[in-house]
Amino acid sequence: MADNPGKFEEFGRKVDARVQQFTPRLEEEVKKIIAYLNDEVVPKVRQDSSEAVRAVAEQLRRLADHLERR
């Protein structure tokens, strides 16, 4: 390619054209992924996190009761 700089520019144009071809589809897929994360993953993580905190709080309450009895 060093001996023919026009080939490199042509290659760059072809790559750019292909990227532009797939950009709308890629943007749509990214939107779907973001919606899935917001609608499915985040609420589940929040629910599981609050349940975990409640479980830890219960264990700490039991530990405090145990320490009081001693």
Side-chain angles (χ1 to χ4, degrees):
M1 283 192 197
D3 56 342
N4 192 349
K7 268 190 159 185
F8 184 73
E9 289 176 4
E10 182 182 334
F11 174 75
R13 280 192 290 274
K14 286 180 182 180
V15 169
D16 189 45
R18 296 288 283 171
V19 169
Q20 287 180 3
Q21 209 175 17
F22 292 108
T23 299
R25 170 84 190 260
L26 184 60
E27 288 174 350
E28 190 61 35
E29 292 300 318
V30 168
K31 287 177 185 178
K32 288 179 184 178
I33 292 170
I34 291 170
Y36 173 76
L37 290 173
N38 286 333
D39 297 343
E40 302 292 332
V41 175
V42 171
K44 183 68 174 155
V45 168
R46 286 183 179 155
Q47 178 184 356
D48 292 349
S49 296
S50 64
E51 289 174 7
V53 169
R54 285 186 175 88
V56 169
E58 177 61 23
Q59 292 297 322
L60 288 172
R61 187 191 62 75
R62 289 181 186 170
L63 176 61
D65 291 346
H66 176 73
L67 291 173
E68 280 182 352
R69 286 191 299 269
R70 298 190 118 201

